[in-house]
Each structure stands twice: as structure tokens, then as C-alpha cells.
Amino acid sequence: MMRASERLRTFARQMRHAPTKAEGRIWRWLRARRFGGHKFRRQFPIGGYILDFYCPELRLAIELDGRHHDAEWMVDYQMNRRRELTRHGIEVVRIPNELLIRDAQSVEECIKAVIERRMNIAV
């Protein structure tokens, strides 16, 4: 697995102490093995990236996209990031913050469906 630098691990630790509202909401769902008993970590550094939420058992990353993800420079960054993580067997699920605000139940069902699908792959 890709090892993160000490600088990135320190930054991830700082980010855990100042979550966005959307991150806080998703974390309330995922923490303490509330989704099918799977352990998720938040602001988890892997290689040169910090994943919003990551389940090592399922090799699943859940990423929340705020408005800054619409920036032109983010398109290439996100594509390279996804390619690198996929190369290591990590599936990335992207959830726009606006969708979480508008329809939290759909987001929750989507996460459950992805977890169920990943469980079938892991078996």
C-alpha cells in the first residue's frame, strides 16, 4: 500500500479536528461500525492523498465534494487521484455536498448499496 508522508499524516490529523458540516453528518453514519459492522476511518492519508472516509476491509473511499471541486484545476487532479487509488484496488465514491443537503436518505442508501457490492467483491 502507498505510505503517506509525515507532513500529510499531520495535516490529516488537523483536518479531523475541523470537519465540515457534511463530513460531520456522514461520519455520524459511518463511525463506530454503524454501516454493516465495517470500520471506516476519516481523513485517512494514503500515498499523496487524504481520503475523506476510508474502509480498509472493503478498499472503499467515500469522498464529499464541495464547491471547490468545481474548479478547473481539480478535474485533472481528481482524475489522477482516482487512477492512482484504483490502481491499488481502492474504489472511490464521490458525493456532492449539495446532494447530501437535498436528499440525505438517497446518499445513505447509495453508501449502503456500494458497501454491499464491495462485500460481495471481497468474499
Side-chain angles (χ1 to χ4, degrees), residues 29 35 104-114:
W29 295 345
F35 260 63
Q105 186 174 355
S106 289
V107 170
E108 186 175 6
E109 292 303 316
C110 174
I111 293 171
K112 285 179 183 177
V114 171

Side-chain angles (χ1 to χ4, degrees), residues 13-56:
R13 205 171 301 119
Q14 291 169 349
M15 290 174 67
R16 278 190 224 93
H17 293 290
T20 66
K21 285 183 181 181
E23 289 170 345
R25 185 175 210 170
I26 296 285
W27 183 237
R28 282 190 295 278
W29 295 345
L30 297 176
R31 68 188 296 267
R33 299 179 186 265
R34 291 182 180 151
F35 260 63
H38 299 286
K39 181 167 181 65
F40 277 85
R41 300 175 184 279
R42 63 188 169 120
Q43 303 303 335
F44 187 76
I46 292 183
Y49 306 106
I50 297 175
L51 307 178
D52 289 340
F53 304 98
Y54 179 62
C55 178

Side-chain angles (χ1 to χ4, degrees), residues 37-79:
H38 299 286
K39 181 167 181 65
F40 277 85
R41 300 175 184 279
R42 63 188 169 120
Q43 303 303 335
F44 187 76
I46 292 183
Y49 306 106
I50 297 175
L51 307 178
D52 289 340
F53 304 98
Y54 179 62
C55 178
E57 173 189 2
L58 299 174
R59 301 181 75 79
L60 174 64
I62 298 173
E63 294 290 306
L64 295 175
D65 290 345
R67 290 186 189 260
H68 69 282
H69 288 273
D70 294 335
E72 194 173 310
W73 66 271
M74 285 294 286
V75 174
D76 286 337
Y77 174 80
Q78 293 296 351
M79 187 173 66

